[in-house]
Amino acid sequence: MKELLLLKYAPEIFLKGLNRNTFEKKLKNNIDNALKGLDYEYVTDSGRTLLYSENFNEIIDRLKKVFGITEICIVTQVEADMDSIKAQAFKEVNDSFCSTFKIETNRANKKFVLNSMEVSRAVGEYVLNNVDGISVDIHNPKCVVNVEIREKAYVYSKRIKAQGGLPYGINGSTFLMLSGGIDSPVAGYLMARRGVDISCVYYHSHPYTSERAKEKVKELARILKEYTGHMKLCVVPFTDIQMQIMEKCREDELTIIMRRFMMRIACALAEKYGVNSVTTGESIGQVASQTMESLVVSDSVSDRPVFRPLVSMDKTDIMSLSRQIGTYETSILPYEDCCTIFVPKHPKTKPKLSDIEASEAALDIDNLVMQAMETTEIFFL
């Protein structure tokens, strides 16, 4: 008898046809990277991936943040015979102190003498006759005991929910505009959960935004790194650009022109580092720069796809997810970012592209972008 961790992969991985091996190989590499420095070994049995270690708690904490795993089950490996299975099922139910239970069986080993239904019935009857005060409830049981019969048998009732999604790094790459607020870290998490490799760009307006604001963004990037395993953060000096816009453009167009510069720089960084796309934390209609018209004008300077995973989400839903992934408490620290300074009293909510381009004609756009790129700081967190 031996305790192991059974890793259940996201069902979507099994729908990848001839690419399934590529997804599974990527996920295994990500698991190995997440568990670096810990002692563990793989146990394989008829297509199942299990892990053995004497340090389960640390292993589970790390695996819970690996995209592509939906569930981690603490299983007991026993001999594939009915006496061993019944004894372990009895222990699972008895230790749970539940009033109702159910047995679910998966018989992958077709040579086993009983089919799945017969195993569940026999094990259930044994538990019912030997645990005091217990009853069967197949619709809403307090305790579900799973029995998997392969070369060995695996019995378990303890399941830990993991992140799901697709293996990180399997679906291209993106530059995330990380502002320091609540929304953009959540957008980064959602893209990473779909297997997209994330790098971050932050626009720093020193001395109007403080070093503490920059440290806050670095901390947010570090939290995202707990899910991704690595993180590159580009900190772009943005003050000169904002001052030029303030001096030479209409006051009500400040925000939309600023957003267009951010998009240009994100695309330039993506080109420099071979990144496929840009991601923002914008949600439709949340502020003036996030109206449909404003988003169209911002996107017109992009030379690659712009993803907005929060576009249809309410603020309360975004805040809830932020708490869930651990970024909320850092995001609400009261340090201003470049988007909250130099804010016009009445920003345009329905900008026309021709008007914005006419206003930008007063600016040396290429030179401003080039200077920002040349003075960008790079952090590998």
Side-chain angles (χ1 to χ4, degrees), residues 10 72 75 112 127 135 167 203 267 302 339:
I72 304 160
V75 308
F112 195 77
V127 171
S135 62
Y203 301 95
C267 289
S302 174
C339 296

Side-chain angles (χ1 to χ4, degrees), residues 160-178:
I160 298 151
K161 188 177 180 185
Q163 298 296 320
L166 292 174
Y168 183 71
I170 199 76
N171 267 340
S173 54
T174 197
F175 248 110
L176 169 69
M177 291 194 199
L178 189 61

Side-chain angles (χ1 to χ4, degrees), residues 179 202-211 213 236-246 251 253-259 262 289 334-345 347:
S179 69
Y202 168 64
Y203 301 95
H204 190 45
S205 299
H206 180 77
Y208 301 100
T209 55
S210 66
E211 285 300 305
V236 179
F238 206 56
T239 311
D240 287 347
I241 291 175
Q242 287 181 295
M243 298 306 289
Q244 287 277 321
I245 299 171
M246 286 275 289
E251 194 258 357
E253 296 175 346
L254 293 179
T255 303
I256 187 64
I257 293 176
M258 182 183 73
R259 295 295 298 176
M262 290 177 173
S289 65
Y335 309 133
E336 288 189 317
D337 58 54
C338 68
C339 296
T340 58
I341 58 174
F342 308 130
V343 177
K345 287 183 180 177

Side-chain angles (χ1 to χ4, degrees), residues 174 186-198 277 279 307 309:
T174 197
V186 177
Y189 165 84
L190 289 174
M191 290 297 285
R193 190 171 182 271
R194 290 304 299 167
V196 179
D197 189 288
I198 303 284
S277 63
T279 294
F307 295 113

